[in-house]
Amino acid sequence: MMASFFDQFMSPYMLGIPLIAIAITLPWVLFPTPTSRWINNRLITAQVWFTARFANQLLTPLTTKGHKWALVLTSLMIFLITINLLGLLPYTFTPTTQLSLNMGFAVPLWLATVIIGMQDQPTIALGHLLPEGTPVPLIPALIIIETISLFIRPLALGVRLTANLTAGHLLIQLIATAVFVLSSTMPTVAILTAAVLFLLTLLEVAVAMIQAYVFVLLLSLYLQENT
């Protein structure tokens, strides 16, 4: 019974087609595309307002060269929020619970920020590996530690997103199972547990949006260090 709790994190197949491909493609189908009309509808207006506000808040600390990443980071933010929220619906699959997908986003984007720093300002980029005023005997150890922390960044990005979503989905399924079991024997306790489940679902909606924002925010901080 306990092993079945983890079946929701397996990539499902239907007619030989991996549903993870459909889950990744679906967010781009849901969002409306702007039209050539002078007056847009409310949905497109809200979409444009949200995108502009997010891009403004995210890119304000960056230099002008870092603003070239506006489209990439904004698109990634909208994509992650959408698939995280869609994964909370019944009978759906959340691609961001797969570490392979999250690492596929984290490693190339992190590596791109490092390469930009090495190309544009190699002295400053390498200077992050050795804090100013470090005693001479500690220099070799600190360089090794900072290098390890640099290479751990993409792993931390992917694992953070995977772990938070996986833990939330598991907790929701455990409490939902408890409500189903207690409904026939202890109705009062089942109602209280269902109330907790509702509050937890609201919390998980917030976590789905916050984790997407944190993922993109950390990437922008890495970009800020190297531009």
Side-chain angles (χ1 to χ4, degrees):
M1 180 64 183
M2 293 301 294
S4 64
F5 288 144
F6 295 91
D7 290 344
Q8 60 177 317
F9 304 115
M10 297 175 60
S11 181
Y13 285 80
M14 181 176 293
L15 301 177
I17 302 174
L19 296 185
I20 186 173
I22 300 177
I24 292 175
T25 309
L26 188 59
W28 306 117
V29 180
L30 295 177
F31 283 95
T33 57
T35 63
S36 58
R37 294 179 298 180
W38 287 8
I39 301 178
N40 293 323
N41 56 34
R42 292 182 178 88
L43 182 59
I44 295 179
T45 303
Q47 176 183 339
V48 172
W49 177 86
F50 170 78
T51 304
R53 292 294 300 172
F54 170 75
N56 183 43
Q57 181 179 1
L58 188 67
L59 300 176
T60 297
L62 299 178
T63 60
T64 305
K65 188 169 185 178
H67 292 175
K68 297 178 181 179
W69 285 60
L71 180 60
V72 175
L73 295 180
T74 306
S75 300
L76 180 62
M77 171 72 173
I78 295 173
F79 176 76
L80 291 178
I81 285 181
T82 307
I83 58 178
N84 288 350
L85 293 178
L86 288 176
L88 295 175
L89 298 175
Y91 304 105
T92 55
F93 173 69
T94 312
T96 44
T97 57
Q98 305 295 310
L99 184 60
S100 57
L101 177 70
N102 297 332
M103 293 301 293
F105 284 126
V107 174
L109 293 174
W110 164 83
L111 187 59
T113 61
V114 174
I115 292 175
I116 288 175
M118 291 297 181
Q119 286 181 344
D120 296 344
Q121 44 184 15
T123 304
I124 298 177
L126 293 175
H128 292 306
L129 302 179
L130 185 62
E132 186 178 357
T134 303
V136 177
L138 296 179
I139 288 178
L142 278 179
I143 291 178
I144 295 174
I145 293 173
E146 292 295 332
T147 304
I148 293 174
S149 66
L150 177 64
F151 284 97
I152 284 178
R153 284 180 174 181
L155 181 63
L157 278 176
V159 170
R160 179 187 291 107
L161 183 59
T162 304
N164 280 281
L165 295 178
T166 302
H169 282 57
L170 275 177
L171 194 56
I172 286 177
Q173 185 168 357
L174 285 170
I175 296 180
T177 304
V179 172
F180 178 76
V181 172
L182 294 173
S183 59
S184 58
T185 57
M186 305 174 65
T188 304
V189 178
I191 293 174
L192 295 177
T193 309
V196 174
L197 178 61
F198 175 74
L199 296 177
L200 180 62
T201 304
L202 296 180
L203 177 63
E204 189 64 18
V205 171
V207 168
M209 294 187 290
I210 291 172
Q211 289 304 315
Y213 176 73
V214 169
F215 188 92
V216 178
L217 178 63
L218 290 176
L219 282 175
S220 69
L221 293 178
Y222 300 156
L223 181 63
Q224 183 179 356
E225 285 185 1
N226 294 282
T227 54

